[in-house]
Amino acid sequence: GCNCKRHCYRTFGTYLAHELIGGVLVLNKKITTEKRLSVRLYLSLFIYAVVGYGLVVLLDYIFSKSDNSILAWLHLRTDVIFIVYLIMGFVCIFNFFWKKPWGYLDEVISATQTVYEQNNHVVALSDPLKELENQLNQIKMSVLLSKQAAKQAEDKKNEIIMYLAHDIRTPLTTVIGYLSLLHETPDMPEKQKEKYVKVALDKADRLEKLINELFEITKYNAHTVVLKREIVDLHCLIAQVIDEIYPTLSANGNTAVFTADDDLSINGDPEKLARVFSNLLKNAAAYSYPQTEISISAKRSDRNIQITFENHGKTIAPEQLDSIFEKFSRLDEARLSDTGGAGLGLSISEEIIHLHGGTITASSENESISFIITLPISS
């Protein structure tokens, strides 16, 4: 009878409502694409069934009020009509949601091709795949940045090779040239021969220094350098370095003024720290105006010791200052000179300071150049 049919419809509607509520509760958790599709499927089935149920109730009421024989015949078969309605609708709905994952798969396949394209096109996917879309766009950005970094590394490598070729070839050519003259002229006067030998030896020493610097920075990059730590009195160490560099300073009329606090002891490698201070002092001497003062100061804070090297010279441009600690980085006038190093001194100094757990920075303004070292105090 009608009451039984209505009861069945209500029971079915209650079941679909229960499934819908279960699907909505999933939204409070981490929703996957599969769960999103499930929720949409249940919602579609529920709405379709509710609409069908409403239509059946309406038709059942209309048919019950009519005396038409055809409508009376249909009235007796509203349950069949409802079942046919449900079967046809459910088939269409399930067919639609069956095709959805395959459409998503096609989108993902196309997106993976977009990821590796060398352009600014972003991946665009359907709403249920937004999380994947964001991940693929991040991957594409990473790929582009990696390729850009690889290109920059390749350019830097070519630049390094060019610099090495220049730095090594110049003294080597001089050594070969003077040795050839000595070989081809056995009866050369002793005074001239002594001069040529001295020049060749000086250039050979510079060539050895360049090669040693190259090997040294390679060891730092390979993280094979081990510090020989001991308690170091920085006041005494810096004073000793200044004494050793004094001839270099006095050649251009420069002077070094050193001021320091008491008790500047740290736990470090004295030989490598001396190398840092020597590099910075030689660097200051090389780029100072003649007859100017180079200031070195060391002061203690709660947990650190700050050491500052300051000299007066041509202001370093910001773009050069940003790369001053990079390997093979030298200012143009030093690159063109025959006396400059390989451009590894500051890079080696930075590596040594980092091994000690400290920092080193550079600044330049108003014809003043400063290097500031911060080292942790030993406990």
Side-chain angles (χ1 to χ4, degrees), residues 36-79:
R36 289 193 186 98
L37 288 176
S38 298
V39 171
R40 292 184 180 185
L41 174 60
Y42 292 147
L43 184 60
S44 300
L45 293 175
F46 175 74
I47 293 174
Y48 184 77
V50 169
V51 171
Y53 175 74
L55 290 175
V56 167
V57 172
L58 178 62
L59 290 175
D60 187 61
Y61 175 77
I62 294 173
F63 292 161
S64 65
K65 298 296 183 181
S66 175
D67 295 332
N68 187 289
S69 59
I70 296 176
L71 294 180
W73 182 84
L74 291 174
H75 181 228
L76 296 173
R77 289 161 178 80
T78 50
D79 54 346

Side-chain angles (χ1 to χ4, degrees), residues 56-264:
V56 167
V57 172
L58 178 62
L59 290 175
D60 187 61
Y61 175 77
I62 294 173
F63 292 161
S64 65
K65 298 296 183 181
S66 175
D67 295 332
N68 187 289
S69 59
I70 296 176
L71 294 180
W73 182 84
L74 291 174
H75 181 228
L76 296 173
R77 289 161 178 80
T78 50
D79 54 346
V80 177
I81 295 173
F82 184 62
I83 292 173
V84 172
Y85 168 85
L86 291 178
I87 291 174
M88 292 178 59
F90 283 13
V91 168
C92 292
I93 292 172
F94 276 106
N95 182 61
F96 174 80
F97 280 95
W98 166 256
K99 291 181 178 179
K100 271 285 184 183
W102 300 106
Y104 292 154
L105 180 60
D106 290 337
E107 287 187 50
V108 172
I109 292 173
S110 300
T112 56
Q113 296 173 353
T114 305
V115 166
Y116 291 98
E117 291 177 356
Q118 297 299 302
N119 52 41
N120 294 325
H121 296 164
V122 296
V123 175
L125 299 176
S126 302
D127 288 340
L129 301 176
K130 286 301 179 183
E131 183 177 350
L132 178 61
E133 175 187 301
N134 293 334
Q135 292 176 355
L136 290 176
N137 282 324
Q138 289 176 5
I139 292 172
K140 178 166 185 176
M141 182 62 65
S142 298
V143 170
L144 291 176
L145 291 176
S146 296
K147 291 186 176 181
Q148 182 180 0
K151 184 179 183 304
Q152 291 176 346
E154 182 68 19
D155 294 341
K156 185 64 177 178
K157 184 189 74 173
N158 293 335
E159 184 182 6
I160 288 173
I161 291 174
M162 180 185 69
Y163 285 165
L164 278 176
H166 172 272
D167 288 337
I168 293 177
R169 183 180 60 187
T170 301
L172 185 60
T173 301
T174 304
V175 170
I176 293 174
Y178 279 102
L179 290 179
S180 297
L181 287 174
L182 291 170
H183 176 71
E184 294 169 1
T185 315
D187 55 347
M188 181 182 297
E190 287 298 324
K191 188 174 182 180
Q192 188 176 8
K193 183 185 295 184
E194 182 180 352
K195 177 183 176 182
Y196 285 0
V197 169
K198 185 179 184 306
V199 172
L201 184 59
D202 290 342
K203 297 301 180 180
D205 288 340
R206 179 169 182 266
L207 181 60
E208 182 184 29
K209 179 182 176 182
L210 293 173
I211 295 173
N212 287 338
E213 282 189 353
L214 181 60
F215 279 128
E216 188 173 0
I217 196 62
T218 302
K219 287 170 61 180
Y220 281 108
N221 288 341
H223 305 289
T224 59
V225 176
V226 179
L227 297 180
K228 298 178 181 178
R229 291 182 178 271
E230 60 183 77
I231 301 301
V232 181
D233 185 342
L234 292 179
H235 186 287
C236 293
L237 184 62
I238 295 174
Q240 180 181 343
V241 170
I242 293 173
D243 288 339
E244 293 174 355
I245 306 300
Y246 178 76
T248 303
L249 297 175
S250 59
N252 291 325
N254 298 119
T255 56
V257 177
F258 178 40
T259 57
D261 293 344
D262 296 329
D263 190 17
L264 297 178

Side-chain angles (χ1 to χ4, degrees), residues 8 13 32 53 59 137 140 147 182 284 296 325 339 353-354 370:
C8 291
T32 63
Y53 175 74
L59 290 175
N137 282 324
K140 178 166 185 176
K147 291 186 176 181
L182 291 170
I296 305 107
F325 292 105
T339 58
I353 295 300
H354 286 172
S370 299

Side-chain angles (χ1 to χ4, degrees), residues 346-364:
L346 291 178
S347 182
I348 291 172
S349 298
E350 184 183 42
E351 294 287 350
I352 292 173
I353 295 300
H354 286 172
L355 281 176
H356 283 82
T359 61
I360 179 170
T361 58
S363 61
S364 180

